[in-house]
Amino acid sequence: MAQMMRAAVLHASGEAPTLTLEEMPIPEPGPGQVVVRIIASGICYTDLHIMHGDWPGKPSLPLILGHEGAGYITALGPGVTTLKQGERVGIPWLSSSCGLCDYCLTGRENLCPHQQNTGFSVHGTHAEYALAQAAYVVRLPNNLDYFEAAPLLCAGVTSYTALKEAEVQAGQWVVIVGVGGLGHMAIQYARAMGIHVAALDINDEKLSLAHELGAEVTINTRYQNPVARIQHLISGAHAIIITATTADAFEKEIGMLRNGGTCVLLGLPPGGFSVPIFDVVLHHFTLRGSIVGARKDLQDALQFASEGKVKAITDIYPLTDIQNVLTQLAQGHIHGRAVLQIA
Amino acid sequence: MAQMMRAAVLHASGEAPTLTLEEMPIPEPGPGQVVVRIIASGICYTDLHIMHGDWPGKPSLPLILGHEGAGYITALGPGVTTLKQGERVGIPWLSSSCGLCDYCLTGRENLCPHQQNTGFSVHGTHAEYALAQAAYVVRLPNNLDYFEAAPLLCAGVTSYTALKEAEVQAGQWVVIVGVGGLGHMAIQYARAMGIHVAALDINDEKLSLAHELGAEVTINTRYQNPVARIQHLISGAHAIIITATTADAFEKEIGMLRNGGTCVLLGLPPGGFSVPIFDVVLHHFTLRGSIVGARKDLQDALQFASEGKVKAITDIYPLTDIQNVLTQLAQGHIHGRAVLQIA
Amino acid sequence: MAQMMRAAVLHASGEAPTLTLEEMPIPEPGPGQVVVRIIASGICYTDLHIMHGDWPGKPSLPLILGHEGAGYITALGPGVTTLKQGERVGIPWLSSSCGLCDYCLTGRENLCPHQQNTGFSVHGTHAEYALAQAAYVVRLPNNLDYFEAAPLLCAGVTSYTALKEAEVQAGQWVVIVGVGGLGHMAIQYARAMGIHVAALDINDEKLSLAHELGAEVTINTRYQNPVARIQHLISGAHAIIITATTADAFEKEIGMLRNGGTCVLLGLPPGGFSVPIFDVVLHHFTLRGSIVGARKDLQDALQFASEGKVKAITDIYPLTDIQNVLTQLAQGHIHGRAVLQIA
Amino acid sequence: MAQMMRAAVLHASGEAPTLTLEEMPIPEPGPGQVVVRIIASGICYTDLHIMHGDWPGKPSLPLILGHEGAGYITALGPGVTTLKQGERVGIPWLSSSCGLCDYCLTGRENLCPHQQNTGFSVHGTHAEYALAQAAYVVRLPNNLDYFEAAPLLCAGVTSYTALKEAEVQAGQWVVIVGVGGLGHMAIQYARAMGIHVAALDINDEKLSLAHELGAEVTINTRYQNPVARIQHLISGAHAIIITATTADAFEKEIGMLRNGGTCVLLGLPPGGFSVPIFDVVLHHFTLRGSIVGARKDLQDALQFASEGKVKAITDIYPLTDIQNVLTQLAQGHIHGRAVLQIA
């Protein structure tokens, strides 16, 4: 008889979705797969998007959510030779990719059109055990515990990759819009790369955190005009990274760029925003979407944390609290990253 | 007493502006300047924007329009040692830049915030003589006549630069939206770089021209759904270059890109367009404005033409026809590029 | 009882090595592997290096040589789902790589320290059948026959990749040193990318071929000083690609570069050459080694050929002639590429 | 009658050259020029190369040496509008460039074939006053004194630019060979960019300094095999920067690179070194010369110092000590950078 595990399962998405804690069989590993005993599982705003069904793409229901799973390997499927039982690994958003398309062949497997995603198209990590592809899990550095590692598996790599996509160099300025789960990590990655940071938020407490993490300029956009401030203080930013989960302010925020600057979007709010063509062309702006990161980006993002340069601020909650935590996240009350303690 | 010349002068911009042909004194060259006897002067859609005043920035009125001026040098100002009387040169949109800012120091003087622009902030080339900065005119290759050279000075360099900004490589696909003054040159530059071209327009005659110039796919967007066609035929484009002068279709056209693709905007229509955030992020799209080009880009653009790989299709009109030509341009009746014969 | 096949086998490398044609069992495919019925197998100068044992690394003896094998699939190992029996494929130098190192994760698996190489560390394609990894064979475009395709699998991709590594752009100049198996393809790839070509050789017949293939400048280095010629004609090259199989002239040839230029080495002759430090530093030269190419490069290299832009010049020989062909290759008597007809 | 100044003048280069302190007329500024009262003037190994005449190119004799001159403007030539009397500026190696060649137009004026060089082809800064081109001096940040600024004008910008040319990213490893005037700054620039540093020298005291400046690995190449150590500790470096002034060890040092790595040369020792072709090709190494830097690089290099991230270690000597200081430099006894106090 199959061994059982507890898992947070979504049965239907919509306006008032609920996650139920259920007993399910522990999965068996197929060829190339591993089973991971999950210890810590981070909660991402994407969990909310999936629950509310506000994305064009739809999840595979019923679904175990979660794509920041940290734990250790308990079972190896046939043909897995590069990992062993007991190894500490992380399970990220990218569950698998085809391995053969143009993107997979050029180290951009996060763009693979045939990819599977953890906690979206396949079961995720808000559960005591999770199934993963051996070639897509990441080894955890020894000096990071599971709770430190979990938020790096999505928030960390997404922030790190966005900075690379922004093509901003040491000594230049980046504006980080939003000091939440993504933003508070982006600040740290930027500082670790020698990049100057201005942080924007509507919450003074979060801006105070931004300052502690190395932001040299902080702007509360409730009281201050960020475009005027940024142009005055630093003559325009070389890059902007927008982590905000709503599209309200995008149009104006582009005005913080200096000529030739780049604005990277990495959140996935529904809706659109209006681009002022004249400004984009005359000032030679670049707008770019950045989606999580590839496996090498994930390894690099963990390496910075392993060297002590980046540390996620986390609050730890029991798995049973998951519904409550998601509610608080939706209301903007989570500072840093919420991580479920599963074991 | 000053020698006099004829020039097409704009006195006021607005809904129904008129250009008047007037007698004005031939300019005298100051330090670092040259006077050029204009033989050919290309007409750009920008002339219409300036006349209608539909840009955020405003021209210096009264103003001689024109920024594709080809002719020969008749007078040298003090200190000019790199050019001589009689040399054949072109006067482009970039009249001068500061020479000292970050952009000027890195070969991107077309982004200089202190730049002057021919036929906009300083007098232009729709006149028998024009004043120019010696360091900003471009030598014309011997085997190009003035009428071949003129359209390269803005339409040519703008198209060429946009292809570079699109970061599309030989063997990949670019979609050129609009087969007008800019688009018909972009097709040729792309082919000269070994890039595959799909061309879009609403006019079968222009699409027929696109095919002759090397476009391997042509799509009339009146009858055909370009997104469906492009995805079907080439699995999505690596890049799109939008030369259209209105913003109507931008939002949908992004859907022609494959994951990771780049959409370059180079026209300056008023207004904005709505960017679907989810698509831009998930598919890792890049949108980028491209504004004319730097001096090295202009030299390169002329070099391709000099080697016979690119040739502007032109209709030649006397200076006295300028108002009529502009009206036809506004109505979409000009194929290729209209060039004024001044001499 | 195992089915048998004929193969050209090397038993010992050294000064006067011989290949023997032998009967061997047709291989059986393991997991992830395919068996390919070889129709055409190109002969590469690397075969000579392996036979003579003049490289630091040593082959796995006894060894079937050959790494430009074109044929069709006759058997699939367990788990192979992306290919099917009868599919036309090519087997290249890169037999397999680890899939997990920094290079494999960034699309540079040709740099993987754990790679296996066809006809070197594992059996090659100078045989009626060859074993290959499903993930590392390349599909052959329908409009290329086996004899057209074979030389692309090493000479083609190596030439193509070298041009990319040279970072030379459309409209710029590359000097191709040596118009042999690699050089005659590099000329065509360069032309297909809009790059100007100067070709150097010591053989007028080969230079005549270079001219036919699109080289705009040809220089016989027996009679002419290439540095003086190149500096006179084109004011220095943006890049040099050295395909020569001996290191004699390298030191001087760098002088053909213009400031900031790049010299790419892609042959693997034994020995070294002396770099004049002062020149390299003052003129900001780059010297770079380029080794074959990654899987995406190989696909691209085939695509250019499929579009008719690149075509290897081949002479076809029966497998029984292999020793004779290798002797002629060593003496510089092969024009273009020699390909064995196996079937 | 002309005002006089003291200057260190070279009359003949050769084996035992001498500098004489002489009285000369203070220069008068021509169009576009400024006169600078020099307060501090750094001594560079290049001064020794020029004195010994061991370069292919020869200086304009008699010559005032020095190209790290920091001071303030005392006179402006006709047409200089961007600077004013009393402004604090630095005079670097690049005295002027043509402004019109491919390199000048793309922000690489340090490669201009028509450049003039301070203290080499035109008089330098080891004097109480020096003439400079307004467009090529650099403003000194307010919080750097003249003695802090002087070494940045050559050693600083050369080190900074070499790191950029090495294309090494935050989180990767660079090996700095030689902890002298250039090396001790390269270590600091690397750390400010988030790059890991291993430092090599033959002097334990210099290695101790390297450690204090942030080098995480130090290797004394008198006692230790650097290739074995680097491969053992960090599995090979992503880049090497060789600041050594002799070419002895170059050939072996390439072995410290990991596959795909880059070795940047920035010193100008006479002679050459032998490149092992097989290794360079098989491991896809890049060797690149880097010569000082462009004006934007110089501004950036000063900016890092202004932010307190980089500080040259200097010993200050009176101008009258110049011959003695050069002798000590030749013998390897100078730690950090020697700077002459002129005022």
Side-chain angles (χ1 to χ4, degrees):
Chain A
M1 207 188 81
Q3 298 276 321
M4 301 300 280
M5 67 174 187
R6 267 192 318 167
V9 181
L10 177 72
H11 284 272
S13 55
E15 287 200 12
T18 49
L19 290 176
T20 53
L21 284 183
E22 303 178 10
E23 294 284 309
M24 294 177 65
I26 295 175
E28 298 285 332
Q33 295 183 326
V34 295
V35 173
V36 178
R37 175 69 178 96
I38 302 295
I39 307 296
S41 184
I43 290 184
C44 178
Y45 209 95
T46 288
D47 293 349
L48 285 174
H49 287 305
I50 295 170
M51 290 171 67
H52 295 136
D54 58 15
W55 280 356
K58 298 301 169 200
S60 311
L61 297 173
L63 177 71
I64 303 174
L65 290 179
H67 56 266
E68 288 186 348
Y72 57 86
I73 293 177
T74 56
L76 304 170
V80 177
T81 58
T82 55
L83 293 167
K84 49 180 195 273
Q85 286 227 5
E87 267 196 286
R88 304 166 72 246
V89 297
I91 304 179
W93 172 249
L94 185 70
S95 173
S96 68
S97 66
C98 79
L100 296 170
C101 71
D102 281 5
Y103 306 103
C104 286
L105 290 183
T106 54
R108 302 198 296 166
E109 68 271 16
N110 51 323
L111 304 189
C112 173
H114 312 295
Q115 69 187 271
Q116 298 294 331
N117 296 115
T118 308
F120 181 67
S121 65
V122 300
H123 280 315
T125 62
H126 295 337
E128 290 176 326
Y129 291 86
L131 201 58
Q133 306 296 320
Y136 291 82
V137 299
V138 62
R139 280 199 183 80
L140 301 182
N142 290 333
N143 62 344
L144 295 182
D145 71 31
Y146 294 114
F147 298 91
E148 289 170 325
L152 300 167
L153 298 171
C154 176
V157 64
T158 298
S159 306
Y160 169 75
T161 304
L163 280 161
K164 287 181 36 178
E165 295 293 338
E167 299 181 23
V168 60
Q169 296 169 9
Q172 296 185 332
W173 280 90
V174 67
V175 175
I176 309 287
V177 180
V179 188
L182 291 164
H184 90 288
M185 307 212 66
I187 294 167
Q188 298 176 67
Y189 280 110
R191 296 304 293 146
M193 295 173 185
I195 299 164
H196 295 297
V197 174
L200 270 59
D201 207 300
I202 54 171
N203 178 316
D204 281 331
E205 209 174 328
K206 289 188 179 179
L207 288 170
S208 173
L209 169 63
H211 181 72
E212 282 165 37
L213 296 175
E216 294 150 286
V217 170
T218 59
I219 299 174
N220 189 320
T221 55
R222 273 205 210 280
Y223 322 131
Q224 294 182 293
N225 176 335
V227 171
R229 286 294 291 164
I230 290 293
Q231 292 294 349
H232 172 68
L233 290 172
I234 59 170
S235 304
H238 298 85
I240 303 172
I241 292 179
I242 299 187
T243 71
T245 52
T246 59
D248 295 351
F250 284 24
E251 182 175 357
K252 268 177 286 177
E253 284 161 351
I254 291 172
M256 293 187 289
L257 287 176
R258 64 176 67 189
N259 284 0
T262 297
C263 177
V264 174
L265 312 175
L266 43 64
L268 285 166
F273 69 105
S274 179
V275 171
I277 299 177
F278 188 89
D279 287 343
V280 167
V281 172
L282 199 69
H283 299 304
H284 200 289
F285 291 154
T286 295
L287 279 81
R288 176 172 288 159
S290 180
I291 182 68
V292 199
R295 286 172 289 178
K296 180 66 169 67
D297 298 320
L298 177 53
Q299 291 178 3
D300 290 349
L302 285 162
Q303 181 65 22
F304 275 91
S306 166
E307 295 173 4
K309 292 172 183 162
V310 172
K311 188 173 170 59
I313 291 172
T314 55
D315 281 315
I316 300 176
Y317 302 85
L319 177 55
T320 49
D321 258 16
I322 184 168
Q323 184 73 44
N324 175 39
V325 176
L326 285 160
T327 304
Q328 288 186 50
L329 180 64
Q331 294 169 354
H333 295 156
I334 299 288
H335 284 218
R337 201 74 168 174
V339 180
L340 298 172
Q341 179 164 9
I342 312 273
Chain B
M1 206 190 81
Q3 298 275 322
M4 300 301 281
M5 67 174 188
R6 267 192 318 167
V9 181
L10 177 72
H11 285 271
S13 55
E15 287 200 11
T18 51
L19 290 176
T20 53
L21 284 182
E22 304 179 11
E23 294 284 309
M24 294 176 65
I26 295 176
E28 299 285 333
Q33 295 183 325
V34 295
V35 173
V36 178
R37 174 69 177 96
I38 302 295
I39 307 297
S41 183
I43 290 184
C44 178
Y45 208 95
T46 289
D47 293 349
L48 285 174
H49 287 305
I50 295 170
M51 290 170 69
H52 295 136
D54 57 15
W55 280 355
K58 298 302 169 198
S60 310
L61 298 173
L63 177 71
I64 304 173
L65 289 179
H67 56 264
E68 288 186 348
Y72 57 86
I73 293 177
T74 56
L76 304 170
V80 176
T81 58
T82 55
L83 294 166
K84 50 181 195 270
Q85 286 229 4
E87 266 196 285
R88 303 166 73 246
V89 296
I91 304 179
W93 173 249
L94 185 70
S95 172
S96 68
S97 65
C98 79
L100 296 171
C101 71
D102 282 5
Y103 306 102
C104 286
L105 289 183
T106 54
R108 303 197 296 166
E109 67 271 17
N110 51 324
L111 304 189
C112 172
H114 314 294
Q115 70 188 269
Q116 297 294 330
N117 296 116
T118 307
F120 182 66
S121 65
V122 300
H123 280 316
T125 63
H126 296 337
E128 290 175 326
Y129 291 85
L131 201 57
Q133 306 296 320
Y136 290 82
V137 300
V138 64
R139 280 198 183 82
L140 302 182
N142 290 332
N143 63 344
L144 295 181
D145 72 31
Y146 294 114
F147 298 92
E148 290 170 324
L152 301 167
L153 299 170
C154 176
V157 64
T158 298
S159 306
Y160 169 74
T161 305
L163 280 160
K164 287 181 35 178
E165 295 293 338
E167 299 181 22
V168 59
Q169 296 169 8
Q172 296 185 331
W173 280 90
V174 67
V175 175
I176 309 287
V177 180
V179 188
L182 291 164
H184 90 287
M185 306 211 67
I187 294 168
Q188 298 176 68
Y189 280 109
R191 297 304 293 145
M193 296 174 185
I195 298 163
H196 296 297
V197 174
L200 270 59
D201 207 299
I202 54 171
N203 179 316
D204 280 331
E205 209 173 328
K206 290 187 179 180
L207 288 169
S208 172
L209 169 63
H211 180 72
E212 282 166 38
L213 296 175
E216 294 151 286
V217 169
T218 58
I219 299 173
N220 189 320
T221 55
R222 273 204 209 280
Y223 322 131
Q224 294 182 293
N225 176 334
V227 172
R229 287 293 292 164
I230 290 292
Q231 291 295 348
H232 171 69
L233 291 172
I234 60 171
S235 304
H238 298 85
I240 303 171
I241 292 180
I242 299 187
T243 71
T245 52
T246 59
D248 295 350
F250 284 23
E251 182 175 357
K252 268 178 287 177
E253 284 161 352
I254 291 172
M256 292 188 290
L257 287 177
R258 64 176 67 189
N259 284 0
T262 297
C263 176
V264 175
L265 313 174
L266 45 61
L268 285 166
F273 70 105
S274 179
V275 171
I277 298 177
F278 189 88
D279 287 343
V280 167
V281 173
L282 199 69
H283 299 303
H284 199 290
F285 291 154
T286 295
L287 280 82
R288 175 173 288 160
S290 180
I291 181 69
V292 200
R295 285 173 289 177
K296 181 64 169 68
D297 299 319
L298 177 53
Q299 291 179 2
D300 290 348
L302 285 162
Q303 181 66 23
F304 276 91
S306 167
E307 295 173 4
K309 293 172 183 162
V310 172
K311 188 172 170 59
I313 291 171
T314 54
D315 281 315
I316 301 175
Y317 302 85
L319 176 56
T320 48
D321 258 16
I322 183 168
Q323 183 73 45
N324 174 39
V325 177
L326 285 161
T327 303
Q328 289 186 50
L329 180 63
Q331 294 169 354
H333 294 156
I334 300 289
H335 285 218
R337 201 73 168 175
V339 180
L340 298 172
Q341 179 164 10
I342 312 272
Chain C
M1 207 189 80
Q3 298 276 320
M4 301 300 280
M5 67 174 187
R6 263 193 320 167
V9 181
L10 177 71
H11 284 272
S13 55
E15 287 201 8
T18 51
L19 291 176
T20 54
L21 284 184
E22 303 180 9
E23 293 286 309
M24 293 177 65
I26 295 176
E28 298 286 333
Q33 296 183 325
V34 295
V35 173
V36 177
R37 174 71 177 95
I38 302 295
I39 307 297
S41 184
I43 290 184
C44 178
Y45 208 94
T46 288
D47 293 349
L48 284 174
H49 286 306
I50 296 170
M51 290 170 69
H52 293 137
D54 57 15
W55 280 357
K58 298 303 168 197
S60 309
L61 298 174
L63 177 72
I64 303 174
L65 290 179
H67 55 266
E68 288 186 348
Y72 56 87
I73 293 177
T74 57
L76 303 170
V80 176
T81 58
T82 55
L83 294 166
K84 50 180 195 269
Q85 286 228 2
E87 266 196 286
R88 303 166 73 247
V89 296
I91 304 179
W93 172 249
L94 186 70
S95 172
S96 69
S97 66
C98 79
L100 297 171
C101 71
D102 282 5
Y103 306 102
C104 286
L105 289 182
T106 54
R108 302 197 296 166
E109 67 271 16
N110 51 324
L111 304 190
C112 172
H114 313 294
Q115 69 188 272
Q116 297 294 330
N117 297 114
T118 307
F120 182 66
S121 64
V122 301
H123 279 316
T125 63
H126 296 336
E128 289 175 326
Y129 291 86
L131 201 60
Q133 307 295 320
Y136 290 83
V137 299
V138 64
R139 279 198 184 80
L140 301 182
N142 289 333
N143 63 346
L144 295 182
D145 71 31
Y146 294 115
F147 298 92
E148 290 169 324
L152 301 166
L153 299 170
C154 176
V157 64
T158 298
S159 305
Y160 170 74
T161 305
L163 280 160
K164 288 181 35 179
E165 295 292 338
E167 298 181 24
V168 60
Q169 297 170 8
Q172 297 185 331
W173 280 89
V174 67
V175 176
I176 309 287
V177 180
V179 188
L182 291 164
H184 90 287
M185 307 212 67
I187 293 168
Q188 297 176 69
Y189 280 110
R191 296 305 293 147
M193 296 173 185
I195 298 164
H196 296 297
V197 174
L200 271 58
D201 206 300
I202 54 171
N203 179 316
D204 280 331
E205 212 174 325
K206 290 188 178 179
L207 288 170
S208 172
L209 169 63
H211 180 71
E212 282 165 38
L213 296 175
E216 294 151 287
V217 169
T218 58
I219 299 173
N220 188 320
T221 55
R222 272 202 210 282
Y223 322 131
Q224 292 182 297
N225 175 333
V227 172
R229 286 295 290 165
I230 290 293
Q231 291 294 349
H232 172 68
L233 291 172
I234 59 171
S235 304
H238 298 85
I240 303 172
I241 293 180
I242 298 187
T243 72
T245 51
T246 58
D248 295 351
F250 284 25
E251 181 174 358
K252 268 177 286 176
E253 284 161 352
I254 291 172
M256 292 188 290
L257 287 176
R258 64 175 68 190
N259 284 359
T262 296
C263 176
V264 174
L265 312 176
L266 44 63
L268 284 165
F273 70 104
S274 179
V275 171
I277 299 178
F278 189 88
D279 286 343
V280 167
V281 173
L282 199 70
H283 299 304
H284 199 290
F285 291 153
T286 294
L287 280 81
R288 175 173 288 159
S290 180
I291 180 71
V292 199
R295 285 173 289 177
K296 181 66 169 67
D297 299 319
L298 177 54
Q299 291 178 2
D300 291 348
L302 284 162
Q303 181 65 22
F304 276 91
S306 167
E307 294 172 3
K309 291 172 184 162
V310 172
K311 189 172 168 58
I313 290 172
T314 53
D315 281 315
I316 301 175
Y317 302 84
L319 176 55
T320 47
D321 258 15
I322 184 169
Q323 182 74 45
N324 174 39
V325 176
L326 285 161
T327 303
Q328 287 185 50
L329 180 63
Q331 294 169 354
H333 295 155
I334 300 289
H335 285 218
R337 200 71 166 178
V339 179
L340 299 172
Q341 179 164 10
I342 312 272
Chain D
M1 206 190 82
Q3 297 276 322
M4 302 300 281
M5 68 175 186
R6 265 193 319 168
V9 182
L10 177 72
H11 284 272
S13 56
E15 288 202 10
T18 51
L19 291 176
T20 53
L21 285 184
E22 304 179 9
E23 294 285 308
M24 294 177 64
I26 295 175
E28 298 285 332
Q33 296 183 326
V34 294
V35 173
V36 178
R37 175 67 177 98
I38 302 295
I39 307 296
S41 184
I43 290 184
C44 178
Y45 208 95
T46 288
D47 293 350
L48 285 174
H49 287 306
I50 295 171
M51 289 170 69
H52 293 137
D54 57 16
W55 280 358
K58 298 303 168 197
S60 309
L61 297 174
L63 176 72
I64 302 173
L65 290 180
H67 55 265
E68 287 185 348
Y72 57 87
I73 293 178
T74 57
L76 303 169
V80 176
T81 58
T82 55
L83 293 167
K84 50 179 196 271
Q85 286 229 2
E87 267 197 285
R88 302 167 73 246
V89 296
I91 305 178
W93 172 248
L94 186 69
S95 173
S96 68
S97 65
C98 79
L100 297 170
C101 70
D102 282 4
Y103 306 102
C104 287
L105 289 182
T106 53
R108 303 198 295 166
E109 66 271 17
N110 52 324
L111 304 190
C112 172
H114 313 295
Q115 70 187 270
Q116 298 294 331
N117 296 114
T118 307
F120 181 68
S121 65
V122 299
H123 280 316
T125 62
H126 295 337
E128 289 174 327
Y129 291 86
L131 201 59
Q133 306 296 320
Y136 291 82
V137 300
V138 64
R139 279 198 184 81
L140 302 183
N142 290 332
N143 63 345
L144 294 182
D145 72 31
Y146 295 114
F147 298 92
E148 290 170 324
L152 300 166
L153 298 171
C154 176
V157 65
T158 298
S159 305
Y160 170 73
T161 305
L163 280 160
K164 287 181 36 178
E165 295 293 338
E167 298 181 25
V168 60
Q169 297 170 7
Q172 296 185 332
W173 280 90
V174 66
V175 176
I176 310 287
V177 179
V179 188
L182 291 164
H184 90 288
M185 306 211 67
I187 293 168
Q188 297 176 69
Y189 280 109
R191 296 304 293 146
M193 296 173 185
I195 299 164
H196 295 297
V197 174
L200 270 60
D201 207 299
I202 54 171
N203 178 317
D204 280 330
E205 210 174 328
K206 290 187 178 178
L207 289 170
S208 173
L209 169 64
H211 180 71
E212 281 166 39
L213 296 174
E216 294 150 287
V217 170
T218 57
I219 298 174
N220 188 320
T221 54
R222 272 202 209 281
Y223 322 130
Q224 293 182 295
N225 176 335
V227 172
R229 286 294 290 164
I230 290 293
Q231 291 294 350
H232 171 69
L233 291 172
I234 60 171
S235 304
H238 298 85
I240 303 173
I241 293 181
I242 298 187
T243 72
T245 51
T246 59
D248 296 350
F250 283 26
E251 181 173 359
K252 268 177 285 176
E253 284 161 351
I254 291 171
M256 292 187 289
L257 287 177
R258 64 176 66 189
N259 284 0
T262 297
C263 176
V264 175
L265 311 176
L266 45 63
L268 284 166
F273 70 103
S274 179
V275 170
I277 299 178
F278 188 88
D279 287 343
V280 167
V281 173
L282 198 70
H283 300 304
H284 201 291
F285 291 153
T286 295
L287 280 82
R288 176 173 287 159
S290 180
I291 181 71
V292 198
R295 286 172 290 178
K296 182 65 168 66
D297 299 319
L298 177 54
Q299 291 178 3
D300 291 348
L302 284 162
Q303 181 66 22
F304 276 91
S306 167
E307 294 173 4
K309 292 172 183 162
V310 171
K311 189 172 167 56
I313 290 172
T314 54
D315 281 313
I316 301 176
Y317 301 86
L319 176 56
T320 47
D321 257 16
I322 184 169
Q323 183 72 44
N324 174 39
V325 177
L326 285 161
T327 303
Q328 287 186 49
L329 180 63
Q331 294 169 353
H333 295 154
I334 301 288
H335 285 218
R337 201 72 167 177
V339 180
L340 298 171
Q341 178 164 11
I342 312 272

